[in-house]
Amino acid sequence: MIVKPKSLLGAVAAVLYTPNSFANNEVRINLTPGISDMSQKVYDLHMLVFYICVVVAVGVFSVMLVSIIRHRKSRGRKPATFHENVKVEIVWTIIPFLILIAMAVPATITLLELDNTDDSELSIVVTGSQWRWHYNYLDYDVQFQSILATPNEQIYGRLPKGENYLHEVDRPLVLPTNTKVRFLITSEDVIHSWFVPEFAIKRDANPGYINESWTNIKEPGIYRGSCAELCGQGHAFMPIVVIAKEPADFDIWIRSEEQRLAAEAEQEEKLLAMEMSKDDLMELGRNIFLSQCSACHQPNGQGIPGVFPRLAGEGISVTDKQAHINIVVNGSSGTAMQSFKNSLSMSELAAVITYERNAWGNDTGDLVQAADIFNFIQGEE
Amino acid sequence: MSTAVAESKDAHDVHQHNKPTGIKRWLFTTNHKDIGTLYLWFSFLMFLIGGSFAMVIRLELFQPGMQIIEPHFFNQMTTMHGVVMVFGAVMPAFVGLANWMIPLMIGAPDMALPRMNNWSFWILPVAFIIMLSSMFMPGGGPAFGWTFYAPLSTTYSADSTALFVFSMHIMGMSSIMGAINVIVTIVNMRAPGMNYMKMPMFVWTWLITAFLLIAVMPVLAGVVTMVLTDKFFGTSFFSAAGGGDPVLFQHLFWFFGHPEVYIMILPSFGIISAIIPTFARKPLFGYSSMVYATASIAGLSFLVWAHHMFTTGMPTFALLFFMYMTMLIAVPTGVKVFNWITTMWRGSMTFEVPMLFAIAFVVLFTIGGLSGIMLGVTPVDYQYHDTYFVIAHFHYVLVTGAVFSIMAAAYYWVPKWSGVMFDEGLGKLHFWCSLISVNILFFPMHFVGLAGMPRRYPDYALQFADLNAIISVGGFLFGLSQLIFLVVMVKCAMKKGEPAPAKPWEGAEGLEWTVPSPAPYHTFDTPPEVK
C-alpha cells in the first residue's frame, strides 16, 4: 500500500483513509511486569498504589453520588445548617496520612534496592547523542553505536510500516541473562533518557555527568525501549533494542564481536594505504550522510535556516577543505555539531566529506581519502 | 479626606458620563471591571490559539507516521501549546476573575493600584505577540518544550530563544504586578468589619496565590536570563564544559514550576468553595480548615519541586525526601475534597451550569490528584516519568481542574458582569459535550502512558495506534465544544438574554450580590458594613 500525499488535502485524506495495517498488534493498557525481579517489584508496587487509589476514589465518589441523588431541592430537601466539626476534620486528616504511610514503606524498600548498583558483574557505558545511542562494554574491547533501522519511506508513508516500526535499530545492545549489569549513562550533547520498560529503568543521560542504573535479566529475549527526554527533532527516532542471551551465548557473541572489530580495525589500516575511487567514496558517503548527518543538515543538504547550516553551495563544503575535515572530525564546540572522530572510521569520514563536497551541485571535484584523515589527526597530535 | 468622600459620592454619575469610548476606554482604563473583562477575553483568545496548536498535535498523532507536519514544527507546537495555555490562558483568566471579583467581594471601590493594573494587563498582549511571532523567524520558534530544559534551549536552540526569554520576562513582570495589586487590595481595602476570617474563600486563595507568585516569578526571571546568557554571552551555568550543570537548570525551573502549578489551582479551590455552597444552599463546611489547608498546600509547594526530576540521578536521600513531601500534599488536598462533599451532604442541591462544572471539577480533579500520588512514588515514577501517564495526570488537574473551574466561574458570575442570564440550554450542552469529550481525550492517555509511550513524540510505534486515534477524536470533539462556550459568552456580552436580578442564584452569599446586575461602573464608593 503506497500513499503519496500531493497536497495538504491529500495528506489529510491519507490520514483519514489509510486502513489499519497493524491490527495484529496487541493493545497494552497497563505497565509491564517486566523481566527482572526489580521490574516485578515495581509492578507490584504500582498495582498496590493503584488499588488504594481506586478504593479511595470509589469511597469518595459514592458518598458524593448518594448526596447528589438524595440531597436535591427537587426532592423537597430542606438544607441542614451544620458547617463545622473539628473531630471529623481531625479524622479525615489522620486516615489519609496512615494510608500514605502504608504506601511509603514498600516504596522506600523498593527504592533502596533499585538504587543499589553494588556488585555488578558487567558495566556498560550508554552514551546518548542526537539521535542515536552508543554502547561501550567496559570489560571488553567492544563498542558500537545503535541507530534507528526504520527507513524514512515507512515514516513518510511511502512504504507500509513494519511490525517493529520505530522500535528497531541496526545494532542492538546484547546482554547476558542472570547477570547484574550496570549501566553508566551519559550524553554527548543534550539531555536524553534511556528508558526500557521491561527493566523498569529510566535514567537521564546528562552531558558531562554520569548516572548509574542496573538490571538483572531473567529470560532471554528481545526488549525494546525509547528515549524519554525531549532531545530535539529526532527525539522519537532513537529507540533502544536489547537482546538478552544466556551467559554462554553472550560469551560467544562478545568474543566474535571483539574479533570482528579487531579485523575491521586491521582493514582500516590497509585502507589508509589504498585510494578509493570517487564512485565508491560517493556511494559510501551518501549512506553515511543519510544515516548520520541528514537529520540536521537534511537529505538535500539544505539545512534548516537559523538552526542547522546549509551545506549545498555555500560555506566550507565548497571552500576550505581542511576546515571541512576539522569540523567533521572534531565537531564545533558550543554548537550542535558533534565530533565524529570516535563514531566513524577514517574511511567513512573520508567518504562523507567527499560526498558533501561533491553532492547537490557542490562539484568541487575534491576527493578526500582515509589517509588524508589519518594525516590530519596525526598533525593534530 | 472629607472632600474626597464628598466628591466620590457624585463621582458615580460624573464618571459614567465622562467615560472615554471606543478603543481609548480600553487602552487607558484604570477600572477594575474593565481590566477584568480585558483579562478574561484575552485569556479566552489565548485558550483558542493554544487549543488550535493542540489540534495540530492531535492531527499529526492521529496515526503513526509523519503526515501533516515535520518533527521540528511538532516540537514548536507542543512548546507553544504549553506556554500559551499556562501563561496566556489559565493565569490571565484567574487574574481577570480576581480583578472583577475581589473588590466586589471585599467591598472595595477598585483595586488599590489602578494604573499599575492597566500596565500589568497591556504588557501581556505585547509579550504574546513577541512569543507567537518568533515562530516566523528563520529556524522557527521555541521547540524545546514549555519547560525549556538546557542545553536544548541554550546551545542547541534556534536564535528565536532571545524572543522567548524576553517575552517570559514581560509575562513575569505582568504576574508580579498583578500579584502585588491583589495583596495590597486585600490587605488595605477590605470593608469595615470584614476581618481575615470572614473573607470569601476566593479572596483567601487569591491572597495566598499572590504571595506564591511574588516568591517564584523572580526565580523564573533568573532562570530565563541564565538561558539567555548561556546561549548568547558565553556563560556556562548549565554546561558541564564550563563548570556548570544541566540539572541545575531543572532545579531552578521546578523551584518556580511547582509553586506555579499551585498558582494555577488554588484560585480554582476558591471558586469551587463559592459555587458548591450556593447551589447546595448550605454554608461551606470547615471554612477555617479550608484556609489552613490552602496555606499548607502553598507552603509544601516549595518542598516538592524535585519530584519532577526523579530520573535525573539525585542521591537516594533526596529521592526519599521529595517522595515523602509529595505524598504529604495529598493530606491537605484531601481535606478540601472532603469538605466540599460534606458541604453538599444534606444540602438542598440544584444543578445549574456552574454547579455542574463544579461537581465535574471535584470528581475529575480528584482523579488527577490520585494519579499525582502514583507519580509521587519514586520507584514507579521511573516507569511513569515522561510518558503519557504524566500528560494524562496534569491535564486532569489543569483542564478538568483549573479550566473547568474557570468555566464554572464564568457561568456563575456572568450575570453580574453582563446583566443578563446566559443561555441555560446552550450552557448545559457545552457542559455535557465538554465532559464526555474531555474524558475520551485524556482518560486513554493513562493507558498509552502505562504501555510506555513517551511524551513529546511526533511519531510512535504501532502498538499505540488505536488509543491515539481515540484520543485525537476526543481532542477534536473537546475543541469543537468550546465554540459553544464562545457563543454563550458572546451572547452575554451582547446583552442578549433575560435580565439578571442582583442575586440570580437563590443560595448565593456575599457582597458581590448586593450590587445591581450588571455591576455599575463604580461600586462601593462608600464602603458597606460587614457584620
Side-chain angles (χ1 to χ4, degrees):
Chain A
M1 177 204 63
I2 295 167
V3 182
K4 280 187 189 158
K6 289 223 172 73
S7 63
L8 185 65
L9 199 67
V12 173
V15 168
L16 296 176
Y17 292 114
T18 311
N20 277 12
S21 54
F22 30 84
N24 55 348
N25 270 282
E26 203 180 316
V27 178
R28 200 171 70 201
I29 61 166
N30 198 1
L31 272 193
T32 167
I35 42 71
S36 71
D37 289 343
M38 277 329 296
S39 65
Q40 181 67 46
K41 281 179 191 167
V42 167
Y43 174 79
D44 293 342
L45 187 60
H46 156 72
M47 291 314 287
L48 170 78
V49 179
F50 173 69
Y51 284 129
I52 291 176
C53 286
V54 169
V55 170
V56 171
V58 168
V60 170
F61 297 153
S62 23
V63 174
M64 198 171 166
L65 192 66
V66 169
S67 181
I68 288 171
I69 292 169
R70 291 177 53 193
H71 307 144
R72 44 171 72 209
K73 196 184 179 193
S74 54
R75 291 191 159 204
R77 293 290 299 209
K78 290 278 169 287
T81 52
F82 67 86
H83 60 89
E84 223 163 14
N85 187 329
V86 179
K87 272 183 206 154
V88 176
E89 302 262 6
I90 289 174
V91 168
W92 67 41
T93 307
I94 290 176
I95 291 180
F97 193 75
L98 296 177
I99 296 175
L100 289 171
I101 289 176
M103 293 190 219
V105 171
T108 304
I109 295 168
T110 312
L111 181 67
L112 291 177
E113 214 176 327
L114 258 176
D115 271 20
N116 180 4
T117 53
D118 295 348
D119 304 320
S120 64
E121 298 155 83
L122 177 69
S123 292
I124 291 169
V125 178
V126 177
T127 310
S129 65
Q130 287 179 327
W131 289 280
R132 71 206 65 182
W133 294 100
H134 181 269
Y135 301 109
N136 185 357
Y137 293 72
L138 279 188
D139 315 270
Y140 303 92
D141 267 343
V142 174
Q143 54 171 313
F144 53 84
Q145 43 174 347
S146 176
I147 301 174
L148 177 73
T150 305
N152 257 334
E153 285 72 21
Q154 286 189 22
I155 295 171
Y156 287 93
R158 292 188 290 271
L159 284 176
K161 300 187 189 339
E163 191 190 350
N164 293 315
Y165 178 69
L166 297 187
H167 265 173
E168 53 201 348
V169 295
D170 59 347
R171 300 182 73 182
L173 175 67
V174 179
L175 296 177
T177 54
N178 295 310
T179 308
K180 185 163 179 178
V181 183
R182 181 173 64 140
F183 302 104
L184 300 164
I185 301 169
T186 185
S187 165
E188 279 186 349
D189 38 47
V190 298
I191 301 175
H192 305 268
S193 191
W194 202 73
F195 172 35
V196 181
E198 263 88 3
F199 305 166
I201 291 181
K202 184 182 288 124
R203 194 64 93 239
D204 290 359
N206 297 322
Y209 292 83
I210 293 173
N211 272 330
E212 284 184 305
S213 193
W214 67 277
T215 190
N216 192 337
I217 305 166
K218 291 291 156 212
E219 281 167 43
I222 302 177
Y223 307 108
R224 295 168 201 278
S226 10
C227 177
E229 182 61 62
L230 178 63
C231 55
Q233 51 171 326
H235 177 41
F237 307 104
M238 49 183 293
I240 296 155
V241 179
V242 179
I243 297 180
K245 294 176 187 277
E246 298 282 358
D249 296 340
F250 174 78
D251 272 342
I252 297 171
W253 176 84
I254 196 93
R255 297 293 165 212
S256 74
E257 196 69 2
E258 274 182 322
Q259 280 167 11
R260 196 179 64 77
L261 288 169
E264 251 176 37
E266 215 171 295
Q267 180 72 14
E268 180 77 17
E269 288 281 313
K270 282 186 197 153
L271 278 176
L272 283 182
M274 256 169 62
E275 296 267 300
M276 280 172 82
S277 74
K278 184 175 179 187
D279 287 347
D280 289 349
L281 283 168
M282 288 297 280
E283 170 71 23
L284 176 63
R286 182 172 177 277
N287 292 336
I288 303 283
F289 184 84
L290 290 178
S291 70
Q292 307 275 343
C293 316
S294 65
C296 298
H297 295 294
Q298 304 302 304
N300 55 9
Q302 295 292 320
I304 294 179
V307 197
F308 302 121
R310 175 185 159 124
L311 304 184
E314 62 179 53
I316 51 176
S317 310
V318 287
T319 56
D320 190 346
K321 186 160 99 177
Q322 286 309 104
H324 191 180
I325 294 175
N326 179 41
I327 201 168
V328 178
V329 171
N330 294 320
S332 170
S333 74
T335 71
M337 182 66 191
Q338 66 191 71
S339 158
F340 286 91
K341 189 159 54 178
N342 297 323
S343 53
L344 294 178
S345 71
M346 290 189 196
S347 49
E348 286 170 333
L349 286 166
V352 77
I353 295 169
T354 305
Y355 177 72
E356 287 169 357
R357 300 188 75 76
N358 292 287
W360 327 295
N362 279 2
D363 301 331
T364 57
D366 293 340
L367 295 192
V368 179
Q369 297 292 350
D372 298 332
I373 305 291
F374 180 77
N375 292 336
F376 176 81
I377 293 172
Q378 289 298 308
E380 277 191 321
E381 288 166 354
Chain B
M1 212 40 226
S2 58
T3 46
V5 173
E7 262 172 24
S8 73
K9 273 187 178 161
D10 44 5
H12 202 96
D13 299 307
V14 180
H15 276 214
Q16 291 285 48
H17 294 300
N18 290 351
K19 204 167 66 178
T21 50
I23 186 77
K24 275 190 173 170
R25 166 183 171 184
W26 299 105
L27 214 48
F28 300 129
T29 183
T30 53
N31 180 289
H32 73 102
K33 301 183 184 80
D34 280 356
I35 294 173
T37 305
L38 285 171
Y39 264 112
L40 288 168
W41 280 113
F42 175 76
S43 79
F44 202 169
L45 177 67
M46 286 294 128
F47 181 63
L48 295 177
I49 293 176
S52 65
F53 295 157
M55 297 298 106
V56 175
I57 294 170
R58 283 323 317 174
L59 195 61
E60 179 54 54
L61 292 176
F62 183 72
Q63 271 208 334
M66 298 306 304
Q67 287 94 6
I68 313 293
I69 55 175
E70 286 297 315
H72 185 62
F73 189 70
F74 181 91
N75 288 346
Q76 292 178 50
M77 287 289 99
T78 53
T79 306
M80 293 310 254
H81 169 69
V83 170
V84 167
M85 287 306 198
V86 168
F87 297 100
V90 174
M91 291 174 68
F94 283 132
V95 182
L97 292 170
N99 258 294
W100 249 104
M101 300 319 299
I102 288 177
L104 286 179
M105 286 176 157
I106 64 172
D110 203 312
M111 296 296 277
L113 308 163
R115 282 174 206 283
M116 193 167 82
N117 206 8
N118 171 292
W119 184 232
S120 52
F121 172 75
W122 277 111
I123 59 176
L124 259 193
V126 176
F128 278 93
I129 289 168
I130 293 173
M131 175 77 77
L132 292 169
S133 63
S134 74
M135 287 199 291
F136 300 99
M137 274 184 75
F144 30 67
W146 85 277
T147 52
F148 59 105
Y149 279 11
L152 190 61
S153 61
T154 56
T155 313
Y156 297 85
S157 66
D159 292 344
S160 63
T161 307
L163 295 186
F164 172 84
V165 168
F166 188 43
S167 59
M168 285 297 230
H169 277 143
I170 302 177
M171 286 172 214
M173 282 194 273
S174 161
S175 292
I176 291 174
M177 287 194 281
I180 291 173
N181 216 341
V182 166
I183 293 174
V184 178
T185 307
I186 296 174
V187 171
N188 292 302
M189 296 179 69
R190 279 167 291 128
M194 175 167 286
N195 61 34
Y196 281 108
M197 291 312 272
K198 279 188 189 160
M199 291 194 313
M201 270 313 289
F202 181 70
V203 180
W204 252 119
T205 52
W206 240 113
L207 181 62
I208 292 168
T209 303
F211 277 104
L212 286 182
L213 277 167
I214 290 181
V216 300
M217 279 297 162
V219 179
L220 176 69
V223 76
V224 290
T225 308
M226 289 156 95
V227 164
L228 186 79
T229 61
D230 261 18
K231 178 161 177 63
F232 295 103
F233 302 107
T235 57
S236 300
F237 293 109
F238 308 131
S239 161
D245 183 350
V247 178
L248 171 67
F249 172 89
Q250 296 177 36
H251 282 293
L252 291 172
F253 177 81
W254 287 114
F255 189 81
F256 145 79
H258 201 82
E260 165 71 17
V261 170
Y262 292 103
I263 286 164
M264 291 189 287
I265 201 68
L266 293 184
S268 304
F269 292 166
I271 292 163
I272 302 305
S273 302
I275 291 175
I276 290 182
T278 295
F279 296 96
R281 292 167 180 75
K282 190 165 153 279
L284 181 68
F285 185 84
Y287 170 86
S288 45
S289 73
M290 287 295 236
V291 173
Y292 301 138
T294 310
S296 2
I297 292 173
L300 281 173
S301 77
F302 289 102
L303 298 173
V304 296
W305 78 88
H307 69 210
H308 299 268
M309 305 164 51
F310 282 150
T311 64
T312 54
M314 280 182 289
T316 312
F317 165 77
L319 296 174
L320 289 173
F321 173 80
F322 286 108
M323 172 168 76
Y324 299 149
M325 285 297 138
T326 304
M327 288 179 149
L328 209 53
I329 283 206
V331 175
T333 314
V335 167
K336 293 199 141 276
V337 173
F338 300 143
N339 278 342
W340 287 324
I341 293 176
T342 316
T343 305
M344 292 161 69
W345 190 255
R346 289 179 53 208
S348 171
M349 276 189 276
T350 50
F351 300 93
E352 288 86 344
V353 182
M355 183 63 160
L356 291 175
F357 272 102
I359 290 173
F361 170 95
V362 175
V363 174
L364 300 174
F365 173 78
T366 303
I367 292 177
L370 291 169
S371 62
I373 294 179
M374 298 176 73
L375 282 159
V377 180
T378 313
V380 274
D381 181 69
Y382 289 169
Q383 290 280 35
Y384 307 143
H385 179 76
D386 264 338
T387 67
Y388 265 78
F389 193 78
V390 178
I391 308 276
H393 159 71
F394 72 70
H395 281 94
Y396 264 87
V397 290
L398 266 178
V399 178
T400 59
V403 173
F404 268 32
S405 80
I406 292 165
M407 286 170 179
Y411 282 110
Y412 185 55
W413 283 309
V414 77
K416 182 58 63 191
W417 302 336
S418 67
V420 297
M421 297 303 286
F422 56 86
D423 187 325
E424 180 84 13
L426 276 182
K428 285 195 167 152
L429 182 70
H430 170 230
F431 170 75
W432 287 108
C433 289
S434 298
L435 180 73
I436 294 166
S437 59
V438 87
N439 283 292
I440 300 174
L441 167 57
F442 296 125
F443 208 76
M445 285 187 183
H446 291 111
F447 303 138
V448 271
L450 291 175
M453 176 165 163
R455 62 191 287 204
R456 294 165 167 168
Y457 263 31
D459 197 3
Y460 49 83
L462 303 183
Q463 82 230 42
F464 308 123
D466 296 349
L467 285 169
N468 267 292
I470 296 170
I471 292 169
S472 283
V473 170
F476 304 141
L477 292 176
F478 185 67
L480 286 175
S481 307
Q482 302 325 307
L483 300 179
I484 309 174
F485 187 45
L486 182 63
V487 171
V488 177
M489 289 299 143
V490 167
K491 276 177 79 176
C492 287
M494 293 167 68
K495 317 269 179 203
K496 292 207 169 117
E498 296 283 308
K503 191 173 111 172
W505 314 116
E506 186 189 25
E509 302 268 351
L511 290 176
E512 75 262 39
W513 308 111
T514 63
V515 301
S517 297
Y521 203 58
H522 295 281
T523 40
F524 298 126
D525 286 340
T526 42
E529 197 69 39
V530 180
K531 277 181 237 100

